[in-house]
Amino acid sequence: DTEVTQTPKHLVMGMTNKKSLKCEQHMGHRAMYWYKQKAKKPPELMFVYSYEKLSINESVPSRFSPECPNSSLLNLHLHALQPEDSALYLCASSRPGTGLGELFFGEGSRLTVL
Amino acid sequence: AQKVTQAQTEISVVEKEDVTLDCVYETRDTTYYLFWYKQPPSGELVFLIRRNSFDEQNEISGRYSWNFQKSTSSFNFTITASQVVDSAVYFCALSDGNTGKLIFGQGTTLQVKP
């Protein structure tokens, strides 16, 4: 079983909806990540939080809004999405620091935008 | 620029066969990390191994083994006596020395048939 828990596992939303993806870890990791993965493609980094502060934003459109309320939780708020935003959204955590890269991933939230 | 190439898009083998997944990388960093991740149909990415650029020792873990050769910028992954449960997408990744970001290859889909 993964130690990174993501909810919901599946989400269908219209382009005018507002929804949120949630991620939780209790491994004491202080770096958390959002990745987006399209079918048959590798994951693409969206955001990185280090010690609850946003450290990397990969020029993600503002319709995606991350939030890190505490060291265990990471949210991704979704608003006015487009059908091309349909994808698997993966959350990950790790010990912060350059080059460690031993990310622990959740099972992902599969998003469909109608 | 950093880059990871997994030339094999799909591989199909029969159970108990050995299979090698190729990974070639490009980087100008002198210190870097290489990784392999497994993504089963459930969706989560499972960490398999991390190797730093100063450690060229090959590693064996059960049926899995890794061959790291800096001279050819390769980090190949071999599964011995493959099993149906090994069926998954396998990603090779390189950690950017400055940011710690993971740069993924395109992935190799391995199908192990009974």
Side-chain angles (χ1 to χ4, degrees):
Chain A
D1 287 340
T2 181
E3 295 182 72
V4 177
T5 304
Q6 290 188 242
T7 56
K9 291 197 185 313
H10 300 275
L11 178 64
V12 179
M13 61 186 289
M15 290 190 285
T16 59
N17 292 157
K18 284 185 181 181
K19 297 286 185 183
S20 297
L21 305 181
K22 297 184 184 301
C23 175
E24 188 169 4
Q25 58 89 13
H26 294 287
M27 294 179 281
H29 291 168
R30 300 305 295 274
M32 296 186 76
Y33 310 73
W34 280 115
Y35 280 82
K36 173 182 177 180
Q37 187 178 24
K38 302 285 274 184
K40 297 188 182 297
K41 295 291 186 183
E44 297 175 5
L45 182 64
M46 300 174 72
F47 302 103
V48 180
Y49 274 83
S50 182
Y51 294 97
E52 295 87 70
K53 291 186 179 179
L54 184 64
S55 59
I56 295 177
N57 177 339
E58 291 290 289
S59 302
V60 178
S62 59
R63 58 185 184 268
F64 294 92
S65 175
E67 178 196 18
C68 190
N70 59 54
S71 60
S72 300
L73 295 174
L74 185 66
N75 299 321
L76 186 63
H77 303 298
L78 314 170
H79 175 53
L81 295 191
Q82 304 297 311
E84 58 265 29
D85 296 323
S86 298
L88 181 68
Y89 288 84
L90 292 160
C91 173
S93 70
S94 74
R95 292 168 290 154
T98 300
L100 291 174
E102 186 176 340
L103 304 183
F104 290 79
F105 285 86
E107 291 188 356
S109 293
R110 191 164 296 281
L111 173 67
T112 303
V113 182
L114 301 176
Chain B
Q2 281 101 343
K3 185 180 179 182
V4 176
T5 301
Q6 294 178 254
Q8 303 149 309
T9 305
E10 294 184 11
I11 301 176
S12 181
V13 299
V14 176
E15 208 169 18
K16 298 185 183 177
E17 285 186 22
D18 298 347
V19 58
T20 295
L21 309 182
D22 298 333
C23 174
V24 174
Y25 64 93
E26 297 175 29
T27 181
R28 292 183 179 178
D29 294 339
T30 53
T31 302
Y32 53 89
Y33 291 80
L34 294 163
F35 307 83
W36 277 95
Y37 282 85
K38 173 183 179 181
Q39 188 172 36
S42 61
E44 72 176 292
L45 279 158
V46 178
F47 168 83
L48 296 178
I49 190 172
R50 176 183 70 234
R51 234 337 157 237
N52 76 51
S53 51
F54 298 107
D55 183 2
E56 287 192 71
Q57 265 195 324
N58 291 333
E59 181 155 339
I60 298 174
S61 176
R63 296 184 297 107
Y64 295 170
S65 62
W66 292 269
N67 183 351
F68 176 27
Q69 293 196 341
K70 285 179 77 171
S71 60
T72 56
S73 296
S74 65
F75 187 42
N76 296 337
F77 172 32
T78 297
I79 302 174
T80 302
S82 60
Q83 299 176 2
V84 173
V85 293
D86 296 326
S87 297
V89 181
Y90 291 85
F91 290 99
C92 180
L94 168 70
S95 180
D96 183 292
N98 292 319
T99 65
K101 288 167 49 179
L102 280 182
I103 299 154
F104 285 91
Q106 290 299 303
T108 297
T109 299
L110 173 64
Q111 184 181 32
V112 181
K113 298 178 180 176

